[in-house]
Amino acid sequence: MNQSFLYTALSLTAYSPPGLLNYVFFVLCLLLDPHLHKPMYTFMVHLALNGIVGSCAVCPRVMQSLLSRDPFMSYGGCLLQVLFVNVYALCAYAILAVMAYDRYISICKPLQYHTIITPGRVRVLLAAAYLFPVGLTAVQVYLTSQLPLCRFAVNKMFCDNLVVVKLACFSRDLDNVYGLFIVCSLVLFPFVCVLLSYMQILSVSWRASKASQQKALSTCAPHLIIFINFSTIILYSVLYNRRDSVSVLGNFLNSTLFALLPPLFHPLVYGLRTKEIQRSIQKLLLAAPPRPGPAPPHLRVVPVDRSPHPASRRLGS
């Protein structure tokens, strides 16, 4: 890393002086209820944890700057934020692709599901979903850190790679080619995998019965809603980052959509659309008080029959 710029202070000009909009966004940052991040399944858990990583990479720093009159961030802190922001976005896409593969196997090859989606394979898929984005992003941040800075004003609420590259005195073909490689391998490739998975699912479901079609729809609907939502947010963020002139409200909207909406929205979608989670919540909220169990044998009271014995009645008669 270029040591001469490591401790340079960057001015985040997207922040206005403390006012109503700042306080509203500050309150929204506090709405990340940790109880929403407890999905029942492994892939859902990792998707929720990844959302927490994205929120923690952006929200604490944004909340601090919202209440400060002079928002500054060190260049090293900015690069660290770039690392975690990119890891958050790319890992989310990779996990969504893994989840699409899981849906494809469960619907198109139900009899082979437990032999294909084994615990070992789940660990391998999750390891790949983390290692590739983290490794490729770390290299990208290292390449970006080697660029000399000629500008020091960041016109956004948080740092991303394109913002830092725009601060450099010049651009290099190596950075552009490597960025294109990351987009193709960690965004375009997972996107194509998800599309192919759902094409196969639709093909199989089309030939199935109405009941099977409804079951496939209820199984895939949460994932499909989240995938479309996250893809739309990423596309909006990419297009937004290409703009040179941005407004305070535009910065607020982009930061909210990117860092706050997915961590709140994704667990809610799975909680509302997945029957198993609905039943679990209902049991938690509507659980009846436990009934007392049978008493131990040495404490049981055996009722005594005080009526005359049949034989005594016969004798008395």
Side-chain angles (χ1 to χ4, degrees), residues 105-124:
I105 297 298
S106 65
I107 294 175
C108 299
K109 300 181 180 180
L111 299 180
Q112 305 175 34
Y113 180 81
H114 293 291
T115 59
I116 296 177
I117 308 297
T118 61
R121 180 157 297 181
V122 169
R123 288 191 291 269
V124 171

Side-chain angles (χ1 to χ4, degrees), residues 201-231:
I201 291 173
L202 290 176
S203 176
V204 171
S205 301
W206 185 262
R207 301 190 299 268
S209 62
K210 291 293 184 180
S212 298
Q213 291 177 4
Q214 292 178 356
K215 184 177 180 180
L217 178 62
S218 63
T219 302
C220 298
H223 176 266
L224 192 57
I225 292 172
I226 287 176
F227 179 75
I228 294 174
N229 170 72
F230 195 74
S231 299

Side-chain angles (χ1 to χ4, degrees), residues 79-107:
L79 290 175
L80 187 63
Q81 191 175 59
V82 171
L83 175 66
F84 282 102
V85 165
N86 285 10
V87 166
Y88 155 63
L90 297 177
C91 284
Y93 241 85
I95 295 173
L96 288 171
V98 170
M99 295 175 73
Y101 173 71
D102 175 74
R103 299 298 185 269
Y104 160 72
I105 297 298
S106 65
I107 294 175

